Amino acid sequence: MNKRFAVVLAAGQGTRMKSKLYKVLHPVMGRPMVQHVMDQLQTLKLDEIVTIVGHGAEKVKQELGDVTRFVLQSEQLGTGHAVQQAEDLLKNKAGVTLVVCGDTPLLTGETLEALFNYHEREQAKVTVLTTSVSEPTGYGRIIRDEHGAVEKIVEQKDANEQERKVKEINAGTYCFDNRFLFDALSHVSNDNAQGEYYLPDVIEIAQKQGETVAAFNTPDADEILGVNDRVALSEAERLMKIRTNVMHMRNGVSIIDPLTTYIAPTVTIEADVVIQPGTTIRGASHIKADAIIGPNSEIKDAEIGEGTIVKQSVVHDSKVGNQVNIGPFTHIRPATTIEDHAKIGNFVEVKKSHIDAGSKVSHLSYIGDAEIGKNVNVGCGSITVNYDGKDKFKTIIEDDVFIGCNTNLIAPLTIGRGALVAAGSTITKDVPEIALSVARAKQVNKEGYAKRFNKLLNE
């Protein structure tokens, strides 16, 4: 089997994006465009990946890491010149080189694998990825002879009336015989209006030498979308959202309203999960079977257990167990773990805490830097007071504790197993096991005082 290489073109600034951010780093579904391309390349059995960087080189390198080698194109002198920068790494190697643009986030590994295979089967020197569209204006046309072989590629501006009617277009992704590629690039001229070296000129060189030039047509025209401005960026986002949602639905996930549901490609979801409208799930989140998420919930980098309900709530960087009920209007902040059968209810915020099985924090409470045991009830309006303005302190509530409403627990503090804390208390000292703790001012009633007070007001 031939060795396989890939060259990713990621050097352009992307002036039409009108942005400080370099074009290939603009996100689609939460990940930079070039990262989507690299993710798909990594599904292939490639011997080497070389990424051509220029504008924003250090940021692109930081994003992609060590999955690719990098070559700097210090001057952007066209796509042919960009590929030529990889010459020192690839020139003398036998095999096939895929050239793909870093601004094509919708290309799939399946299509690229099929392109490789077709190129090798046709024993071509060059194979162009193509697709057919109803409105080809602006694209180069693929002109085939009577036998179906590629005769030429004609740019829109150079096409005659008959050629402009052709619906098959150049997708800008190619496979080349590697040695032929770098030899041909040495003969590419910049004698054009832009003064640049164009990669498609290699095709003309191959044809003049009588070499086979093939074209592989993919039926999915959406895949070849190149992102050059914010309009195309929005379209790529829309198409990838649809693709991702369809994949999950085909795998047994019920998405009630796909148009208002946003699921990042990095998310994994098990069968029989229900996703309600207005929900966003991002990052490395994993949703287990039979969970119900939404409506209007946001999950990021979180694990949600089997049969758990997250309604109108936010869960970030946390782990939620099985059969947990969260929401509505709950905020689960990072580094939180909620065990099975717990309940976190209306207007509750939890941060950097562990809440054990069967415990309940049902209403209007803040739980921060806390360890809560099993079967604990935290009453409405209760707060773990964890911050003194300089340092954070931990609250420990052991199993089977009952915390009355409107309680302040001043950390550091331990509430012993089975203790009761009276409503309205401010607890500053540890509470022993099975104790009742009351810490509130003595009530004083002044008979008739309200009548006197009202008289003073009316004078």
Side-chain angles (χ1 to χ4, degrees):
M1 182 177 177
N2 284 329
K3 286 194 171 183
R4 291 179 173 184
F5 315 102
V7 175
V8 181
L9 305 184
Q13 185 173 15
T15 55
R16 281 182 281 175
M17 299 295 289
K18 302 188 186 306
S19 174
K20 303 185 293 294
L21 187 64
Y22 306 106
K23 181 171 72 167
V24 298
L25 295 179
H26 276 266
V28 174
M29 297 291 285
R31 288 167 73 76
M33 288 190 283
V34 70
Q35 184 65 65
H36 285 290
V37 174
M38 198 62 62
D39 289 346
Q40 295 306 310
L41 291 177
Q42 288 184 274
T43 67
L44 309 175
K45 294 180 180 179
L46 299 176
D47 293 280
E48 190 164 0
I49 303 172
V50 179
T51 300
I52 312 302
V53 294
H55 292 285
E58 291 307 313
K59 290 187 177 180
V60 174
K61 290 180 182 180
Q62 184 179 359
E63 180 63 40
L64 296 180
D66 60 2
V67 300
T68 176
R69 299 176 74 179
F70 297 95
V71 177
L72 180 66
Q73 185 189 21
S74 54
E75 290 185 273
Q76 277 67 62
L77 301 177
T79 52
H81 178 260
V83 175
Q84 206 166 23
Q85 306 312 298
E87 186 171 25
D88 289 345
L89 297 178
L90 298 178
K91 180 178 180 180
N92 295 317
K93 297 181 179 181
V96 179
T97 294
L98 169 74
V99 178
V100 60
C101 294
D103 63 358
T104 53
L106 295 170
L107 275 173
T108 64
E110 291 82 1
T111 293
L112 297 176
E113 177 71 23
L115 175 63
F116 267 120
N117 293 339
Y118 185 82
H119 174 85
E120 292 169 349
R121 188 166 61 249
E122 295 296 309
Q123 299 182 325
K125 293 295 183 183
V126 184
T127 301
V128 185
L129 179 65
T130 73
T131 194
S132 299
V133 295
S134 58
E135 181 45 72
T137 301
Y139 290 96
R141 309 302 204 280
I142 304 298
I143 308 301
R144 297 178 182 262
D145 63 20
E146 64 273 16
H147 303 295
V150 176
E151 188 175 279
K152 58 182 176 178
I153 299 175
V154 182
E155 296 302 319
Q156 169 83 20
K157 63 181 185 301
D158 300 320
N160 60 38
E161 185 177 350
Q162 189 63 32
E163 289 167 340
R164 290 188 180 193
K165 294 179 181 178
V166 173
K167 305 296 185 183
E168 187 179 12
I169 62 170
N170 178 12
T173 298
Y174 309 89
C175 274
F176 297 94
D177 175 271
N178 188 65
R179 287 174 174 164
F180 168 79
L181 169 63
F182 289 102
D183 179 69
L185 283 172
S186 68
H187 300 289
V188 170
S189 167
N190 67 341
D191 185 18
N192 53 61
Q194 300 298 322
E196 295 185 348
Y197 301 88
Y198 294 131
L199 184 60
D201 288 355
V202 172
I203 296 169
E204 184 178 350
I205 292 171
Q207 289 169 326
K208 286 180 178 179
Q209 294 179 2
E211 303 287 1
T212 299
V213 176
F216 176 73
N217 187 281
T218 175
D220 185 357
D222 292 340
E223 279 195 45
I224 63 94
L225 177 69
V227 176
N228 291 312
D229 58 23
R230 306 288 182 130
V231 176
L233 184 69
S234 175
E235 179 66 3
E237 182 93 7
R238 183 185 72 83
L239 292 170
M240 187 168 287
K241 183 179 83 165
I242 292 171
R243 176 193 290 178
T244 303
N245 288 351
V246 167
M247 180 270 292
H248 285 298
M249 288 188 286
R250 294 196 187 284
N251 288 337
V253 176
S254 293
I255 301 178
I256 304 304
D257 185 0
L259 293 178
T260 63
T261 301
Y262 180 107
I263 303 173
T266 49
V267 171
T268 53
I269 306 177
E270 297 180 8
D272 292 317
V273 168
V274 177
I275 309 296
Q276 298 283 0
T279 292
T280 298
I281 309 175
R282 297 181 289 151
S285 296
H286 179 68
I287 315 297
K288 293 187 177 181
D290 301 309
I292 301 174
I293 310 298
N296 304 315
S297 292
E298 179 181 316
I299 312 294
K300 179 184 176 184
D301 294 319
E303 179 180 309
I304 308 297
E306 290 186 12
T308 287
I309 298 172
V310 180
K311 183 188 298 183
Q312 293 161 318
S313 295
V314 174
V315 182
H316 283 188
D317 302 283
S318 295
K319 182 177 180 180
V320 180
N322 302 324
Q323 303 294 326
V324 174
N325 201 318
I326 292 178
F329 313 119
T330 297
H331 188 182
I332 307 299
R333 291 171 55 193
T336 293
T337 299
I338 300 171
E339 302 291 357
D340 298 350
H341 303 286
K343 179 181 180 182
I344 314 296
N346 306 44
F347 302 102
V348 173
E349 180 178 354
V350 184
K351 189 248 355 174
K352 200 177 179 180
S353 296
H354 182 274
I355 298 177
D356 215 332
S359 290
K360 298 177 182 180
V361 187
S362 296
H363 321 281
L364 298 158
S365 294
Y366 171 73
I367 304 296
D369 297 277
E371 291 184 12
I372 297 179
K374 295 181 175 64
N375 302 312
V376 170
N377 184 85
V378 178
C380 177
S382 296
I383 296 172
T384 59
V385 185
N386 58 332
Y387 185 49
D388 66 358
K390 180 181 178 182
D391 297 310
K392 297 289 182 72
F393 299 95
K394 178 171 285 189
T395 299
I396 298 173
I397 304 175
E398 296 180 352
D399 295 350
D400 303 313
V401 168
F402 185 95
I403 305 293
C405 293
N406 196 32
T407 295
N408 297 313
L409 303 173
I410 312 297
L413 189 69
T414 297
I415 310 296
R417 177 180 168 276
L420 304 176
V421 177
S425 294
T426 295
I427 305 299
T428 59
K429 298 178 181 179
D430 290 351
V431 178
E433 292 186 4
I434 321 298
L436 168 64
S437 183
V438 183
R440 56 194 183 202
K442 182 179 179 181
Q443 181 173 330
V444 177
N445 295 330
K446 294 187 177 182
E447 297 290 341
Y449 185 82
K451 183 176 180 181
R452 177 186 170 192
F453 180 73
N454 290 332
K455 181 179 180 182
L456 291 171
L457 287 177
N458 294 323
E459 286 181 352

